[in-house]
Amino acid sequence: MRIRTRLTAWYLAIFSLVMLLYVCGACVVQYWQLTDQLFHEEVEDMETVEGLLYFTPSGQLELNESYHSRPENKLIIDRLMEVRGSDGAVLFRNPQLKGAALGGLPRPGEFTDGHTSWTLRLEDGRHVLGVSHRHPVEGKMLFLRVAYSTDPLRRRVVTLFGLLMLVLPLALIPAGIAGYHFAGKILNPLKAMARRTEQITARRLSSRIPVENPDDELGHMARVLNGLLQRLEESFAQLQRFTSDVSHELRTPLTSIRSVGEVGLQRSHSHEEYRDIIGSMLEEVARLTSMIDTLLTIAHADSGAIRLDRTVFPIMDLVDESVNVVGVLAEDKGQSLVVKGDRGISVHADRGFLRMAVINLLDNAVKYSPAGGTIRVVVEARTMASPRDAVYLAIQDEGPGIPAGVAERVFDRFYRLDEGRARDAGGAGLGLAIAKWSVEAHGGEIKLESTPGLGSTFSVQLPVTAETASAG
């Protein structure tokens, strides 16, 4: 069932319920008004009757009916009347009662100076509304009861209820049409949003849904959808850049392998020359394998499939291992690696992934520092403004530095300041991206401070956890 139809059905159901409550309320009010009117008429009739009672010479109580000019008066015909003496004995009953009692013996508090109303169901099933009052006649205190049947009132209210219920379905027809029309007007912006969304394809992700009223629910939905489109557009653009970069990076070593192989097949070579050719091809294969492994690591990280195996260990041990790995490259360039830090500092982290981050940062420093330069590594504990302290690791190089405008992009995948120089150095532009992910996966933060011509400093801050604090 369409939303418009459901809204109309709900509107009609609520409208019908409200109208039914209104009809019931109107009938109740009508019945109350009729009974109130009947009560006042009974009080007036009681005052009239009290003046018409008299005792005959034999002591019999009678009612002077000749007072009424028209005995067929409705009040006279329907009047039910009973008079009792002070001892409770029945002194008078009119014929309309047909011998039935009108309430029995006087009840406590029934007969006072005022008029007391009450309801009663007679033995023959009639419902009556009565009035009680005491009144002296010829020196004797009498207890009078005058009542009238409420059955005519009930029939009148039931008739009114039936008429209103007959009119109710007729009122639902225009109400349903109006509700269906207004539901359509309310849903028209939603239809427009749906049509606009259907026109958005992978090639038109820059399109946005217009927001007519940002403060209502539809405006909120439009903002949410626009935010989703914005994220999709950014993801598609990132995916396209990633695909393009991967294709480019895979093409370079494959082309190199092919070129070396074709040159080797052009003529015969000595045993040593073949070894050099195969060695060059294996270098490119190793580079290609390393890049594929890195891409797999990034893919697993993006999908959330990687789970950190945290342990507590001294961070200086990890720094020493990383320096030993990168030290060979530094020696080839005549560079010095200076490590300074507190060996009592421990971290709660995944040793393998954190080691990968430190090696990538050291490798980056070695690549971009000049021959004979010095690379400094500092490890210390710092008290931060936040509730937790942090372990601080800084790697400072003497490279050319990074311009401020591109400092944030160095952590992007495949980003390189100097394409030719980076590729010659064997970089694919993934090391810093891996380092950033590893640090952030541990709840830490990585920053870059660089001055063109004076070198760069990559700093890592790792939070001190409860496990680390207890170990320390």
Side-chain angles (χ1 to χ4, degrees):
M1 184 183 294
R2 298 171 58 189
I3 295 179
R4 184 177 185 181
T5 305
R6 291 203 299 269
L7 288 175
T8 305
W10 274 104
Y11 168 75
L12 285 178
I14 296 174
F15 180 78
S16 301
L17 179 60
V18 171
M19 291 302 298
L20 181 60
L21 293 176
Y22 171 78
V23 169
C24 294
C27 292
V28 170
V29 171
Q30 178 70 10
Y31 183 75
W32 177 82
Q33 290 177 341
L34 291 175
T35 54
D36 184 68
Q37 180 181 354
L38 180 61
F39 170 75
H40 286 89
E41 291 178 354
E42 288 180 350
V43 171
E44 294 178 358
D45 191 39
M46 174 71 77
E47 294 174 353
T48 301
V49 166
E50 290 173 350
L52 299 178
L53 292 173
Y54 68 95
F55 285 97
T56 62
S58 61
Q60 183 71 26
L61 182 64
E62 295 290 343
L63 181 64
N64 185 11
E65 299 284 359
S66 62
Y67 170 81
H68 299 283
S69 59
R70 297 180 61 185
E72 70 277 7
N73 187 282
K74 180 68 176 175
L75 289 177
I76 300 176
I77 296 175
D78 294 338
R79 179 197 298 152
L80 305 176
M81 180 177 176
E82 180 183 84
V83 181
R84 291 177 181 265
S86 57
D87 57 356
V90 178
L91 301 180
F92 177 83
R93 279 191 184 125
N94 64 351
Q96 286 82 352
L97 280 173
K98 301 177 182 179
L102 196 60
L105 295 176
R107 296 178 295 276
E110 178 183 1
F111 294 96
T112 60
D113 294 335
H115 296 83
T116 305
S117 64
W118 43 269
T119 57
L120 179 68
R121 183 176 181 181
L122 301 181
E123 297 176 358
D124 58 5
R126 287 181 294 173
H127 295 83
V128 297
L129 173 65
V131 175
S132 300
H133 188 244
R134 64 182 182 181
H135 180 73
V137 176
E138 298 179 9
K140 296 181 180 181
M141 184 60 67
L142 303 180
F143 298 140
L144 286 75
R145 289 171 175 162
V146 175
Y148 289 90
S149 174
T150 58
D151 291 338
L153 304 184
R154 294 171 183 265
R155 288 193 294 269
R156 184 173 177 181
V157 172
V158 170
T159 301
L160 174 64
F161 180 80
L163 291 174
L164 292 177
M165 292 302 295
L166 288 176
V167 174
L168 182 58
L170 299 178
L172 291 179
I173 296 176
I177 296 175
Y180 190 78
H181 174 71
F182 284 116
K185 291 190 65 175
I186 293 174
L187 294 175
N188 280 338
L190 188 60
K191 291 182 178 179
M193 291 169 56
R195 288 194 297 267
R196 184 63 178 270
T197 306
E198 289 174 349
Q199 298 172 358
I200 299 176
T201 62
R203 298 181 178 273
R204 301 182 58 185
L205 287 176
S206 59
S207 300
R208 295 294 180 266
I209 299 173
V211 181
E212 297 181 0
N213 184 359
D215 298 326
D216 62 8
E217 289 78 2
L218 293 178
H220 176 69
M221 179 181 292
R223 294 200 308 272
V224 171
L225 290 176
N226 286 336
L228 175 61
L229 291 173
Q230 179 68 28
R231 293 191 295 273
L232 285 175
E233 183 181 9
E234 294 175 355
S235 299
F236 267 72
Q238 183 178 4
L239 179 61
Q240 289 174 352
R241 290 194 302 269
F242 183 78
T243 304
S244 176
D245 291 337
V246 168
S247 301
H248 181 73
E249 294 299 330
L250 291 177
R251 186 184 300 113
T252 301
L254 290 176
T255 302
S256 177
I257 293 172
R258 180 178 178 178
S259 299
V260 172
E262 289 178 347
V263 171
L265 292 176
Q266 287 179 357
R267 62 182 178 84
S268 298
H269 297 276
S270 65
H271 181 72
E272 293 299 327
E273 289 176 334
Y274 277 122
R275 287 178 61 87
D276 292 340
I277 292 173
I278 295 175
S280 298
M281 296 175 68
L282 289 177
E283 287 180 4
E284 294 298 331
V285 170
R287 181 185 302 178
L288 182 62
T289 302
S290 176
M291 184 175 61
I292 292 176
D293 290 340
T294 304
L295 290 174
L296 288 175
T297 301
I298 293 176
H300 289 147
D302 289 341
S303 64
I306 294 179
R307 296 293 182 266
L308 300 180
D309 183 15
R310 293 175 180 262
T311 57
V312 179
F313 56 89
I315 191 171
M316 286 298 295
D317 292 351
L318 183 142
V319 171
D320 290 340
E321 294 176 9
S322 303
V323 168
N324 291 333
V325 172
V326 183
V328 178
L329 299 177
E331 290 179 1
D332 291 341
K333 297 180 67 174
Q335 297 170 336
S336 300
L337 285 169
V338 179
V339 179
K340 179 182 178 182
D342 185 355
R343 294 195 171 275
I345 300 176
S346 297
V347 292
H348 183 235
D350 186 304
R351 192 183 187 102
F353 284 112
L354 189 58
R355 180 174 178 270
M356 183 187 302
V358 175
I359 289 176
N360 284 333
L361 292 175
L362 287 173
D363 181 68
N364 186 76
V366 170
K367 288 177 183 177
Y368 290 98
S369 293
T374 301
I375 299 169
R376 294 175 175 83
V377 182
V378 178
V379 177
E380 60 186 18
R382 287 191 175 184
T383 301
M384 310 303 294
S386 60
R388 297 188 298 178
D389 294 338
V391 176
Y392 177 82
L393 168 65
I395 299 175
Q396 181 180 7
D397 61 44
E398 295 180 349
I402 299 174
V406 296
E408 291 297 327
R409 296 190 59 192
V410 297
F411 296 103
D412 294 343
R413 300 166 189 176
F414 297 107
Y415 180 77
R416 288 171 296 208
L417 290 174
D418 187 344
E419 293 288 332
R421 179 181 177 186
R423 187 169 291 111
D424 292 338
L430 295 173
L432 293 181
I434 287 288
K436 178 179 175 62
W437 168 83
S438 178
V439 171
E440 292 180 348
H442 287 86
E445 184 180 9
I446 185 170
K447 295 181 180 179
L448 167 63
E449 298 177 2
S450 181
T451 302
L454 297 178
S456 303
T457 300
F458 286 88
S459 60
V460 174
Q461 291 184 167
L462 298 174
V464 176
T465 63
E467 292 82 0
T468 306
S470 62

